Amino acid sequence: MRMAIRGSSVLIPVMVFLMVFQLQYEAIHSYTPVHYMVGDEDGWDPVISMEGWAKGKDFHAGDVLEFVYGSGIDVSIVDQEAHDDCSVNDKSIEFSTGDDNITLAFGANYFICSRPIVCQAGLKLAINATAPPPSL
C-alpha cells in the first residue's frame, strides 16, 4: 500500500518552522547592548554603594560596564568566592588602566578592587546578566 503525501501537508509546517526560527534569530541578534558607566558620575569609587548603584537595573549578556577610577584603585573580574572574600585568585583578571570597558557574560559576573582594604570598604559589585530581551 502506497501513501500519498500532499505537498501542502509538509510544506506548511516547514514554512511555519522557518518563520519562527527567523523571528527568534532576529530577536536575539538585533539587541543593542547597553553601555553603563559604573557608579555614574562618581565612577568606580568606594564613596558610593556599588550594590546600590546596580539595584533596579536590568543587565543583559553583552552589555558593557565602563569602570572609570583613579590611582590606588583597580578592577578585577573574579569568581563568587573571591568576591565574597575580597581576594583575587588564579582565575581573576585584573585591569588597571583607569578606564576599562568590560562586556558582561551571561549569568553571574563579579567585580572587586583587588586591594583588600578598598574592597572591604565596599568597592565590589555582583551582577547577574540575563539573556538579551527580544526586539519588538
Side-chain angles (χ1 to χ4, degrees):
M1 178 172 164
R2 277 180 78 161
M3 293 182 61
I5 299 176
R6 291 186 181 171
S8 63
S9 66
V10 173
L11 188 58
I12 291 174
V14 169
M15 289 177 62
V16 169
F17 170 78
L18 290 174
M19 288 172 51
V20 169
F21 178 78
Q22 180 180 2
L23 289 172
Q24 288 178 337
Y25 179 85
E26 289 175 4
I28 292 169
H29 291 78
S30 63
Y31 174 72
T32 302
V34 177
H35 185 102
Y36 294 95
M37 183 170 163
V38 176
D40 297 323
E41 65 276 350
D42 292 317
W44 178 242
D45 193 302
V47 299
I48 67 164
S49 165
M50 288 299 145
E51 301 297 337
W53 170 82
K55 190 174 183 171
K57 293 178 175 64
D58 291 322
F59 296 101
H60 302 287
D63 287 349
V64 176
L65 299 183
E66 182 177 5
F67 292 83
V68 178
Y69 50 92
S71 63
I73 296 176
D74 61 23
V75 60
S76 293
I77 301 172
V78 296
D79 59 18
Q80 183 178 3
E81 182 180 352
H83 171 269
D84 295 347
D85 295 342
C86 283
S87 63
V88 293
N89 56 39
D90 58 344
K91 299 178 216 168
S92 303
I93 302 170
E94 188 176 326
F95 298 85
S96 58
T97 68
D99 190 353
D100 303 302
N101 290 288
I102 300 172
T103 302
L104 291 174
F106 177 77
N109 293 262
Y110 299 98
F111 308 94
I112 65 168
C113 176
S114 70
R115 290 158 179 81
I117 195 163
V118 179
C119 178
Q120 291 164 357
L123 198 52
K124 62 183 185 174
L125 179 62
I127 291 177
N128 184 43
T130 60
S135 298
L136 300 176

